[in-house]
């Protein structure tokens, strides 16, 4: 890259200028050769002498709306490069090969990156080798603090550029050159949000580096690699993506013990095959609870006890691994930052009592009123639709059972599974529609901060997901107490979901990559670097990891709550996840734009959701254990009811959970796991 120096980016001796002019005469095909010459302005100047560099790394692409005037673009370039005390972002900006075009390429000087590192609360390697919270005043004592490409990951550098852009605020009222007089930026306005809302800024995209992405893909989803390059994923895509794939990897290999046990039980236990035959034939075998030939501990009981133990140990081991990764990646001690209003936030202009800034304000009581009068009733109505689907399922199930008794044919046996299949498609369709409804409801609630918006959206979706996917299973287990029906229902859910998942995770991404994404990635040697950057903006934006976490949460629920009635649950999930790891990696590398990734210390609300399911699994498996005829007999002989046994198990689990939380609160070193 060119040297970032004097105004316009031009700095250097006469020989350098001569060479740059020759490059400009050759057409300036590569952005790395673009610099400040009279006919071709280059990188904006840096305000700190220590930030002058012979090479500037393009990090972020800003796309302006078409027909943006050159005076508006020049004003924006100057503003982005201005010091923060003057309302700028202290970044490096380049107008691209066409000074009047619609693209701006951004980078960040060393001091801006280091100051933001301290503001974000990132931990970095100190001279003694320990991870310490970075301090700008002590920057020289941190390893590699003079080399930003080593000191910070690519994802961190790109996020810092976005962080600085979103922090720009006006110091006084002014009109933007080249825009109508009606568009005025007022004192303390968030400049970037105002420009986005006015459609002056169309998009802000972190740039991909094809060579790095290719090397990452070869080590990740290509070949026969079993271990995932998590550090490389964190370097390129950031900690949110790295935590997801780390959890997916840890969860997948943790499925091996229950999968082996499930195959053992399915092979050596006759009860699974017998109950499967009963569920297909529609008749139940008479169980003699006084038959002493039955084993004292059945496969059903062994699997239930193991599921309780496995789900608890899995969560605890993952929390340790998560803390270790957070420490290694320097995100264990993230600073609390005052959040800017999110772009969709609306309200009357006023003075924020905390910051003294003029910004939209919205009373909390109005938000709570909207939640009480609109959000909660709509969510309740959606849960009511789940109940309607469940009642229809039971009605259809009874009809098919009667039909099978009358016909007793191969066709009637196949039709026995039709209610489950249709209900599964109904729940999936309902889940898709509800996600859009939840998005609209959360928008209507008008949350100020992005984190609050995401937390309320996630809570709505989690409540519905748990009810939608597990209500029928809980009703069958706790009220109908029909183990064969529960097994048939769970088997249908797993088999159909695996087939649908393989279609959506493997076949559809391949077709999208072949016919949609590949043409946008097509490049030729004659293409300029700017054209290559522009091609990246044509890819669809990354949809986030919401759907992937929901899928894993439902999987974990099936396994930890009900796998004792269908021991092969873990086997099916293991086979699915072995392909899930590679297909998810393939999609994020090839099908979408590179996302901005703010540093995170863990999986956030999703980790809490998995912990809750782990607790519920104790209750569920205790109840399923009590459905065992032999255990019911032992309870009656001991004079204890099944309900009392269940209550004791719940109290023990709650006490154990409280002890774990008290133990985790004893950690005092914020930079150590």
């Amino acid at each position: 890259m060119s040297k970032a120096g004097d105004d316009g980016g031009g700095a250097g001796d006469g020989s350098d200028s001569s060479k740059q002019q020759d490059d400009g005469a050759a057409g300036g095909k590569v952005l790395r050769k673009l610099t400040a010459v009279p006919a071709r302005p280059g990188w904006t100047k840096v305000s700190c002498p220590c930030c002058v560099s012979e090479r500037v790394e393009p990090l972020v692409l800003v796309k302006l709306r078409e027909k943006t005037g050159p005076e508006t673009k020049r004003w924006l370039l100057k503003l982005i490069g201005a010091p923060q005390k003057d309302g700028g972002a202290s970044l490096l900006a380049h107008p691209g090969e066409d000074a009047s075009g619609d693209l701006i390429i951004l980078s960040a000087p060393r001091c801006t990156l280091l100051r933001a590192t301290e503001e974000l609360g990132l931990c970095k390697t100190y001279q003694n080798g320990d991870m310490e919270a970075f301090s700008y005043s002590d920057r020289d004592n941190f390893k590699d603090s003079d080399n930003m490409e080593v000191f910070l990951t690519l994802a961190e550098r790109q996020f810092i550029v976005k962080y600085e852009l979103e922090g720009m605020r006006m110091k006084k009222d002014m009109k933007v050159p080249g825009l109508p007089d009606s568009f005025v930026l007022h004192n303390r306005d968030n400049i970037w949000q105002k420009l986005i809302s006015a459609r002056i800024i169309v998009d802000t995209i972190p740039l991909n580096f094809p060579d790095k992405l290719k090397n990452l893909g070869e080590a990740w989803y290509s070949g026969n690699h079993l271990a995932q390059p998590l550090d490389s994923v964190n370097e390129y895509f950031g900690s949110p993506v790295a935590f997801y794939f780390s959890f997916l990897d840890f969860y997948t290999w943790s499925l091996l013990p229950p999968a082996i046990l499930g195959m053992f039980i399915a092979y050596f236990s006759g009860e699974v095959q017998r109950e499967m035959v009963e569920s297909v034939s529609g008749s139940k075998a008479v169980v003699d609870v006084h038959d002493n030939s039955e084993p004292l501990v059945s496969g059903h009981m062994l699997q239930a006890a193991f599921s309780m133990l496995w789900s608890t140990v899995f969560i605890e081991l993952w929390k340790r691994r998560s803390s270790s990764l957070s420490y290694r990646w320097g995100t264990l001690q993230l600073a609390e930052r005052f959040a800017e209003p999110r772009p969709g936030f609306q309200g009357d202009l006023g003075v924020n009592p905390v910051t003294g800034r003029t910004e939209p304000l919205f009373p909390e009581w109005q938000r709570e009123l909207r939640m009480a009068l609109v959000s909660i009733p709509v969510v309740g109505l959606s849960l009511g639709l789940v109940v309607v689907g469940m009642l229809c399922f039971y009605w259809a199930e009874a009809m098919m059972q009667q039909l099978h008794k009358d016909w007793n044919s191969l066709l009637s046996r196949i039709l026995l599974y039709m209610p489950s299949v249709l209900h599964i498609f109904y729940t999936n369709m309902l889940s898709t529609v509800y996600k859009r409804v939840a998005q609209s409801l959360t928008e209507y609630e008008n949350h100020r901060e992005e984190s609050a918006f995401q937390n309320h959206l996630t809570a709505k979706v989690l409540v519905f997901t748990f009810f939608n996917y597990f209500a029928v299973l809980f009703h069958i287990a706790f009220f109908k107490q029909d183990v064969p029906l529960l097994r048939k229902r769970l088997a249908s859910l797993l088999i159909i979901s695996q087939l649908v998942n393989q279609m959506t995770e493997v076949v559809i991404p391949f077709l999208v990559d072949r016919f949609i994404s590949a043409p946008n990635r097509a490049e030729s040697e004659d293409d300029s670097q700017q054209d290559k950057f522009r091609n990246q903006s044509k890819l669809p934006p990354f949809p986030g990891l919401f759907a992937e976490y929901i899928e894993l949460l439902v999987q974990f629920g099936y396994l930890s709550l009900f796998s004792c009635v269908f021991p092969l649950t873990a086997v099916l999930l293991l086979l699915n996840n072995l392909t899930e790891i590679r297909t998810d990696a393939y999609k994020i590398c090839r099908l979408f734009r590179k996302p901005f990734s703010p540093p995170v210390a863990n999986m956030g609300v999703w980790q809490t959701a998995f912990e809750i399911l782990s607790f519920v699994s104790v209750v569920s498996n205790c109840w399923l254990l009590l459905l065992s005829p032999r255990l019911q007999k032992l309870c009656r002989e001991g004079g204890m009811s099944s309900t009392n046994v269940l209550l004791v198990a719940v109290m023990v689990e709650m006490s154990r959970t409280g002890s774990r939380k008290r133990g985790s609160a004893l950690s005092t070193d914020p930079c150590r796991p």
Side-chain angles (χ1 to χ4, degrees):
M1 261 305 186
S2 61
K3 183 176 180 179
D6 296 336
D7 195 6
D13 55 24
S15 61
D16 289 338
S17 299
S18 163
K19 183 182 179 196
Q20 291 161 357
Q21 290 172 356
D22 290 340
D23 291 337
K29 293 296 184 181
V30 181
L31 184 63
R32 292 178 182 273
K33 298 180 181 178
L34 290 180
T35 183
V37 295
R40 190 184 297 275
W43 292 102
T44 53
K45 69 176 182 180
V46 293
S47 56
C48 180
C50 69
C51 296
V52 176
S53 174
E54 296 292 338
R55 180 174 177 272
V56 178
E57 177 189 36
L59 294 173
V60 174
L61 178 71
V62 176
K63 191 174 181 181
L64 308 177
R65 71 179 180 187
E66 294 183 1
K67 300 180 180 180
T68 299
E71 61 274 20
T72 304
K73 185 174 180 179
R74 285 195 298 268
W75 169 81
L76 187 56
L77 286 167
K78 183 178 179 181
L79 180 67
I80 291 173
Q84 294 174 345
K85 61 182 180 63
D86 297 331
S90 294
L91 298 174
L92 299 173
H94 197 292
E97 297 174 2
D98 184 2
S100 61
D102 62 347
L103 296 183
I104 296 177
I105 296 94
L106 302 181
S107 186
R110 174 175 177 265
C111 286
T112 300
L113 293 172
L114 293 180
R115 288 192 179 96
T117 301
E118 181 180 17
E119 291 177 14
L120 295 173
L122 295 176
C123 293
K124 294 298 176 182
T125 307
Y126 205 66
Q127 280 186 346
N128 59 8
D130 293 337
M131 295 292 289
E132 302 286 348
F134 179 76
S135 173
Y136 181 79
S137 60
D138 194 27
R139 58 189 179 277
D140 294 333
N141 289 323
F142 284 83
K143 288 186 177 180
D144 300 312
S145 61
D146 57 343
N147 185 352
M148 292 298 97
E149 295 188 20
V150 176
F151 186 71
L152 294 170
T153 67
L154 174 61
E156 289 170 345
R157 299 195 299 273
Q158 291 177 324
F159 175 76
I160 287 174
V161 171
K162 180 175 181 285
Y163 173 75
E164 297 296 343
L165 290 174
E166 294 178 345
M168 292 192 301
R169 285 193 171 270
M170 290 301 300
K171 299 299 182 181
K172 60 181 180 180
D173 295 356
M174 72 168 295
K175 296 179 180 179
V176 179
L179 296 182
D181 293 341
S182 58
F183 184 81
V184 179
L185 291 174
H186 298 282
N187 184 34
R188 310 297 292 177
D189 274 354
N190 186 299
I191 301 173
W192 205 251
Q193 287 189 7
K194 291 278 286 187
L195 294 176
I196 291 175
S197 62
R199 299 296 296 168
I200 307 300
I201 306 295
V202 176
D203 220 336
T204 308
I205 306 167
L207 290 170
N208 265 318
F209 291 78
D211 292 339
K212 291 183 179 181
L213 190 60
K214 180 181 178 182
N215 293 335
L216 176 61
E218 290 175 351
W220 198 4
Y221 59 83
S222 300
N224 298 318
H225 309 285
L226 292 179
Q228 293 195 78
L230 295 177
D231 290 331
S232 298
V233 174
N234 177 65
E235 154 69 28
Y236 195 86
F237 286 108
S239 51
V241 176
F243 270 115
Y244 165 73
F245 280 98
S246 176
F247 179 79
L248 177 57
D249 179 76
F250 185 78
Y251 169 61
T252 299
W253 294 114
S254 297
L255 291 173
L256 277 174
I260 293 173
L261 177 64
M263 289 189 294
F264 178 85
I265 292 175
Y267 183 78
F268 290 101
S269 174
E271 105 182 337
V272 173
Q273 292 86 343
R274 182 176 66 251
E275 291 184 350
M276 285 294 289
V277 171
E278 292 171 358
S279 66
V280 172
S281 63
S283 60
K284 296 184 179 180
V286 177
V287 178
D288 184 6
V289 297
H290 301 285
D291 184 7
N292 294 326
S293 64
E294 291 278 341
L296 182 61
V297 179
S298 65
H300 168 91
M301 299 168 63
L302 181 62
Q303 184 76 32
F306 181 83
S307 293
M308 286 189 289
L309 178 65
W310 177 87
S311 61
T312 303
V313 172
F314 166 76
I315 290 297
E316 293 303 314
L317 291 179
W318 163 248
K319 288 163 66 175
R320 291 176 62 87
R321 177 176 172 82
S322 176
S323 297
S324 176
L325 291 174
S326 181
Y327 173 76
R328 191 166 84 202
W329 294 337
T331 61
L332 195 60
Q333 188 191 6
L334 295 178
E336 290 289 337
R337 306 187 302 275
F338 180 78
E340 297 287 344
R342 63 185 186 87
F345 178 66
Q346 298 176 351
D348 298 327
L349 285 178
V351 178
N352 190 308
V354 178
T355 64
R357 297 173 176 175
T358 301
E359 62 180 43
L361 300 178
F362 189 76
E364 185 66 26
W365 67 268
Q366 289 190 24
R367 181 178 299 111
E368 294 177 353
L369 187 64
R370 291 184 177 186
M371 294 170 63
L373 298 182
V374 179
S375 296
I376 293 178
V378 172
V379 172
L381 177 62
S382 301
L383 298 181
L385 293 177
V386 175
V387 176
V388 170
M390 182 172 64
L391 295 177
C392 292
F393 162 71
Y394 286 138
W395 175 80
E397 182 75 19
M399 292 288 293
M400 292 301 103
Q401 289 285 354
Q402 184 61 43
L403 185 67
H404 179 61
K405 289 181 180 180
D406 296 338
W407 292 6
N408 194 22
S409 64
L410 178 62
L411 177 60
S412 63
R413 291 182 181 180
I414 297 175
L415 291 177
L416 282 174
Y417 287 89
M418 286 303 297
S420 292
V421 173
L422 293 176
H423 187 247
I424 290 170
F425 280 108
Y426 173 79
T427 56
N428 289 338
M429 179 191 67
L430 202 60
S431 177
T432 302
V433 174
Y434 178 79
K435 288 177 184 177
R436 298 181 181 178
V437 173
Q439 181 82 21
S440 300
L441 289 175
T442 313
E443 288 281 0
Y444 177 70
E445 292 168 5
N446 198 30
H447 296 279
R448 179 187 179 276
E449 301 173 7
E450 184 65 30
S451 60
F453 177 88
Q454 292 297 332
N455 288 339
H456 281 81
L457 175 62
T458 303
K460 291 183 183 67
V461 174
L462 285 180
V463 169
F464 180 82
T465 298
F466 187 86
F467 204 78
N468 190 35
Y469 286 97
F470 301 125
V472 172
L473 297 177
F474 271 108
H475 188 267
I476 295 173
F478 282 74
F479 294 97
K480 295 177 72 71
Q481 300 185 18
D482 190 340
V483 173
L485 179 59
L486 181 62
R487 175 177 294 109
K488 184 179 71 173
R489 172 67 179 180
L490 182 60
S492 301
L493 279 169
L494 289 171
I495 294 172
I496 294 175
S497 62
Q498 302 311 308
L499 293 176
V500 173
N501 183 69
Q502 292 302 311
M503 177 65 68
T504 57
E505 298 283 347
V506 179
V507 178
I508 293 179
F510 173 78
L511 296 176
V512 170
D513 182 47
R514 179 71 178 272
F515 298 105
I516 298 177
S517 299
N520 292 328
R521 293 196 307 267
E523 299 176 354
S524 66
E525 295 181 358
D526 296 333
D527 289 342
S528 65
Q529 191 69 35
Q530 179 171 304
D531 291 335
K532 295 178 181 179
F533 288 163
R534 189 186 299 275
N535 285 339
Q536 294 187 25
S537 67
K538 296 178 182 178
L539 292 172
F542 181 63
L545 298 168
F546 198 94
E548 277 69 23
Y549 274 122
I550 286 290
E551 179 184 347
L552 291 182
L553 192 69
V554 173
Q555 276 193 20
F556 185 74
Y558 290 154
L559 178 64
S560 61
L561 300 177
F562 304 107
S563 63
C564 65
V565 300
F566 187 62
L568 296 179
T569 298
V571 178
L572 296 177
L573 297 181
L574 177 62
L575 294 176
N576 175 81
N577 287 359
L578 289 175
T579 61
E580 179 88 12
I581 293 175
R582 294 179 180 268
T583 53
D584 283 352
Y586 175 85
K587 287 190 297 183
I588 193 174
C589 287
R590 297 179 63 87
L591 301 188
F592 303 106
R593 301 177 194 169
K594 188 175 187 289
F596 282 108
S597 296
V600 296
N602 50 47
M603 297 193 306
V605 66
W606 298 107
Q607 186 157 309
T608 304
F610 280 96
E611 291 180 21
I612 293 173
L613 269 186
S614 175
F615 171 77
V616 176
S617 72
V618 175
V619 180
S620 175
N621 283 286
C622 283
W623 182 260
L624 292 173
L625 270 174
L626 296 177
L627 295 183
S628 171
R630 182 168 292 276
L631 194 57
Q632 290 179 357
K633 175 187 175 184
L634 293 176
C635 289
R636 287 194 298 269
E637 291 176 351
M640 179 176 285
S641 67
S642 300
T643 305
N644 291 336
V645 174
L646 183 62
L647 289 175
V648 170
V650 172
M651 293 176 63
V652 170
E653 175 63 14
M654 292 178 66
S655 175
R656 183 178 57 82
T657 303
S659 299
R660 289 203 312 267
K661 290 183 177 179
R662 288 191 297 271
S664 63
L666 297 178
S667 176
T668 57
D669 189 349
C671 274
R672 293 187 182 276

